[in-house]
Amino acid sequence: MKLNRILCIPVSLMLLLAVTAVPTMACTPGKPCGQTGLDPTTSLQSGALNDYNVMATMVSGQQMDNLLSNIMENKNVKYLDKKLSSREFQQLLNKAQVYKVIAKNSTNTIEAIIAEIPYDTHNKGVNASIVYVSSGAQEYIQAVVDGTADTMSQYMKILKDNQTFQEAIASLMDEGFSYDESDVAIKEVITKDADMSLITIKATNATNQMRSIVAITDNAKNNLKGITVTTSSFECDVCQAIVNLVVTYGIDFVFVTGATGACAFFCLSALALAGVGYIICYGICVVILGSFLYLIVPGVSAAFVCDVAGYC
């Protein structure tokens, strides 16, 4: 499966920035985080328009087996596999996807190998995989575990026990906002250097205004790394950017790469997001590609898709 599209991306294919780049946040409860380097909007870049021609090719057969064999020998992949296996997650190597991405313009040719190795968590409410991205001498490797406040309650407890979170919730309630705990999304990201979770809580009021509480827990230290309350504007901008990127790259690109690979590519490279911005973008992207991809068709605007998804 191949595709060719004109892209809006920066010169570097991968800004391989890990979750460990996220600084500690300390924000006024109930207000957007405005400290230098912490506001997600400060790192959002549209990127210069470059006439890149991108081809994504799914790898299969013996070539795929050889690449997977090499990937599984990577020390960081081994480390993450051990971490997931210790939770009794079962590696599903036979369902792994590997693909090559080549981006070219008049002066540059950039190549990347992207693989996703899924795991059976034996829990319908939890999904897990290892995502491997390699471009030249750079590698970005992470394990991603997705769940809810019910299925990953140990991380929700870290948040609930934190005074800053309690004050943020109290402030939002004073403004007429409330949230349903069943809708809380938790995304754990594990690298060789860190084990953190992104917890996203959507709070709405009587007029359907929305606030998002975005918290990051340091699971290795069992504490809260940071918390902020965002307005819908940043999430709306990111959501529409993702929808437009899907249109630019083509639906086939998402099918070839899978949601996790495509989202890492979109958020790290096309939007050039880092730290908090990257994690928020990644969470939004997985929701859009996992639940609302069917809406991204000719004639339907990004604003409409993101309104249906609840980000605008």
Side-chain angles (χ1 to χ4, degrees), residues 1-3 13-14 54-60 63-64 67-68 71 96-102 111-117 130-135 249 252-266 282 289:
M1 188 181 298
K2 298 182 179 181
L3 63 151
L13 178 66
M14 285 294 164
V54 170
M55 180 173 66
T57 307
M58 178 174 283
V59 181
S60 60
Q63 186 181 17
M64 176 180 174
L67 285 171
L68 273 178
I71 290 170
Q97 291 185 321
V98 181
Y99 46 94
K100 291 183 177 181
V101 178
I102 301 175
E111 300 183 6
I113 297 291
I114 307 177
E116 181 184 5
I117 303 162
I130 291 177
V131 179
Y132 171 93
V133 180
S134 175
S135 179
Y249 281 68
D252 285 351
F253 178 81
V254 177
F255 288 153
V256 170
T257 61
T260 52
C263 288
F265 182 84
F266 289 161
Y282 189 91
L289 300 191

Side-chain angles (χ1 to χ4, degrees), residues 133-154:
V133 180
S134 175
S135 179
Q138 295 178 306
E139 290 182 337
Y140 180 79
I141 304 170
Q142 66 180 21
V144 180
V145 184
D146 291 312
T148 65
D150 292 331
T151 59
M152 300 175 75
S153 58
Q154 68 273 34

Side-chain angles (χ1 to χ4, degrees), residues 187-236:
K187 183 178 297 296
E188 181 183 10
V189 179
I190 310 169
T191 69
K192 66 180 179 65
D193 299 314
D195 182 346
M196 299 185 187
S197 291
L198 169 73
I199 303 177
T200 305
I201 299 173
K202 302 289 185 183
T204 57
N205 63 11
T207 58
N208 290 323
Q209 291 179 309
M210 185 175 67
R211 297 288 185 272
S212 293
I213 299 175
V214 180
I216 300 173
T217 61
D218 186 333
N219 302 327
K221 297 180 180 179
N222 200 42
N223 63 23
L224 188 69
K225 188 173 180 68
I227 183 170
T228 186
V229 178
T230 67
T231 63
S232 60
S233 58
F234 173 70
E235 294 184 341
C236 181

Side-chain angles (χ1 to χ4, degrees), residues 46-99:
S46 61
L49 182 61
N50 297 291
D51 290 332
Y52 272 93
N53 194 32
V54 170
M55 180 173 66
T57 307
M58 178 174 283
V59 181
S60 60
Q62 189 61 48
Q63 186 181 17
M64 176 180 174
D65 292 341
N66 292 340
L67 285 171
L68 273 178
S69 178
N70 290 333
I71 290 170
M72 294 309 300
E73 287 300 314
N74 181 285
K75 65 179 182 179
N76 294 327
V77 173
K78 284 184 174 182
Y79 171 80
L80 295 175
D81 176 63
K82 185 176 180 179
K83 293 282 287 186
L84 296 182
S85 296
S86 69
R87 304 182 187 185
E88 299 185 353
F89 293 177
Q90 181 181 355
Q91 183 190 98
L92 301 175
L93 197 60
N94 62 325
K95 294 186 178 181
Q97 291 185 321
V98 181
Y99 46 94

Side-chain angles (χ1 to χ4, degrees), residues 1 4-5 11-12 19 26 35 43 90 135 147 151 154 156 163 165 238 242 252 254 265 270 283 293 306 309:
M1 188 181 298
N4 294 277
R5 296 286 187 273
V11 173
S12 174
V19 182
Q35 295 190 12
S43 57
Q90 181 181 355
S135 179
T151 59
Q154 68 273 34
M156 191 64 186
Q163 183 178 353
F165 171 73
V238 170
I242 289 168
D252 285 351
V254 177
F265 182 84
L293 190 61
C306 294

